[in-house]
């Protein structure tokens, strides 16, 4: 079974530029998560999709971050414009269940550096 | 507000000995807990979980203990192996209502050969 795929793996941009990350979850997984992991911290949930609907985006900075999940499969996370404090690893995870997930499967992450 | 805390940023253990990683939480509504292991340049991988209806769960060399009254859980690795060297995150969630995992800051374990 293929795991969660993410691209790009690394991205360096200047502040005020825009950037987009892509995630392909495990086939058949209903729930998709985007996490932000700042250096020295644990992952923080940004947004959770069940199929193609948003369940929780309470910690997503909506003035600059946006996310969508097309047809309940792939997802993109966009930052526009980026700030220095957005430098982090962006992790995508998926879960086969809707509702509470007993386990989440993570992708390798995208390391973003904003200069 | 750090609801899940891992107070030891790093831990070094000799190969073959026991590794004990600790995690504290403040929200008494949390009733499900996970441990993840993370190698450099990889995403976290699930290691072991425990529900609040239990106080212990074991899987091979890994055992998680939960003390609800102290709001404390610990991960024991016995015996420790060099391949266990990684960053370990604990995470906690409610299983009803507003459920999302809150992660600790991680503990870097180094197992010395």
């Amino acid at each position: 079974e293929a795991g969660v795929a993410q691209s790009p793996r690394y991205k360096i941009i200047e502040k005020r530029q825009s950037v987009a990350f892509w995630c392909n979850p495990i086939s058949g997984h209903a729930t998709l998560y985007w996490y932000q992991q700042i250096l020295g911290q644990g992952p923080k949930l940004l947004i959770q999709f069940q199929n193609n609907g948003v369940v929780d985006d309470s910690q997503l900075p909506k003035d600059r971050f946006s996310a969508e999940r097309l047809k309940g499969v792939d997802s993109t996370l966009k930052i526009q414009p980026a700030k220095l404090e957005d430098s982090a690893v962006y992790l995508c995870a998926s879960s086969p269940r809707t509702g509470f997930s007993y386990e989440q499967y993570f992708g390798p992450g995208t390391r973003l550096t904003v200069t | 507000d750090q609801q899940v805390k891992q107070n030891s940023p790093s831990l070094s253990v000799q190969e073959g000995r026991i590794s004990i990683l600790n995690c504290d939480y403040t929200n008494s509504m949390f009733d499900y807990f996970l441990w993840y292991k993370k190698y450099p340049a990889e995403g976290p991988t699930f290691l072991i979980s425990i529900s609040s209806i239990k106080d212990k769960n074991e899987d091979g060399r890994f055992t998680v203990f939960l003390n609800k009254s102290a709001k404390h859980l610990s991960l024991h690795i016995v015996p420790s192996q060099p391949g266990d060297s990684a960053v370990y995150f604990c995470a906690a969630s409610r299983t009803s209502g507003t459920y999302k995992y809150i992660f600790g800051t991680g503990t870097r374990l180094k197992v010395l050969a």
Side-chain angles (χ1 to χ4, degrees):
Chain A
E1 173 180 77
V4 177
Q6 290 188 248
S7 68
R9 292 295 311 275
Y10 304 92
K11 189 75 176 178
I12 301 174
I13 62 172
E14 296 182 352
K15 60 184 178 183
R16 291 187 290 273
Q17 287 187 321
S18 61
V19 65
F21 313 128
W22 173 81
C23 172
N24 183 232
I26 293 172
S27 178
H29 278 199
T31 303
L32 185 147
Y33 311 83
W34 282 103
Y35 287 88
Q36 179 192 57
Q37 185 180 9
I38 293 172
L39 186 65
Q41 299 182 19
K44 181 182 84 171
L45 180 69
L46 292 176
I47 189 167
Q48 175 184 345
F49 292 94
Q50 279 185 9
N51 298 308
N52 59 350
V54 175
V55 174
D56 185 342
D57 63 357
S58 58
Q59 298 189 99
L60 186 75
K62 298 181 187 63
D63 58 334
R64 298 184 299 106
F65 285 63
S66 63
E68 61 179 1
R69 188 177 184 194
L70 303 172
K71 299 181 181 177
V73 183
D74 292 8
S75 178
T76 55
L77 176 70
K78 296 179 182 177
I79 308 175
Q80 181 178 9
K83 292 185 175 181
L84 295 176
E85 58 260 38
D86 299 332
S87 294
V89 175
Y90 290 85
L91 294 161
C92 179
S94 68
S95 169
R97 289 169 48 97
T98 58
F100 176 73
S101 65
Y102 292 94
E103 190 174 331
Q104 297 178 12
Y105 300 83
F106 283 85
T110 296
R111 180 176 296 277
L112 173 67
T113 302
V114 182
T115 63
Chain B
D1 177 25
Q2 191 75 21
Q3 297 187 67
V4 179
K5 298 178 183 178
Q6 294 177 256
N7 291 318
S8 298
S10 63
L11 176 68
S12 291
V13 171
Q14 285 295 132
E15 181 179 6
R17 307 294 286 267
I18 184 170
S19 295
I20 300 176
L21 295 89
N22 295 304
C23 180
D24 296 292
Y25 61 97
T26 57
N27 190 339
S28 58
M29 299 297 290
F30 290 149
D31 56 0
Y32 199 78
F33 306 88
L34 303 174
W35 284 94
Y36 279 91
K37 179 166 74 172
K38 186 181 184 304
Y39 292 119
E42 294 183 13
T45 56
F46 170 77
L47 193 58
I48 193 168
S49 63
I50 189 165
S51 165
S52 62
I53 63 173
K54 294 185 172 183
D55 55 16
K56 176 183 174 181
N57 189 27
E58 195 170 351
D59 184 1
R61 297 186 296 114
F62 302 91
T63 303
V64 56
F65 296 91
L66 175 62
N67 182 332
K68 288 187 291 293
S69 60
K71 295 191 183 69
H72 176 83
L73 64 156
S74 60
L75 174 68
H76 293 211
I77 306 173
V78 183
S80 300
Q81 300 174 353
D84 296 330
S85 297
V87 178
Y88 290 79
F89 292 97
C90 66
S93 178
R94 296 175 55 176
T95 55
S96 62
T98 304
Y99 44 80
K100 61 185 168 189
Y101 283 104
I102 306 298
F103 283 77
T105 53
T107 296
R108 182 177 301 277
L109 173 66
K110 187 171 185 179
V111 180
L112 306 170

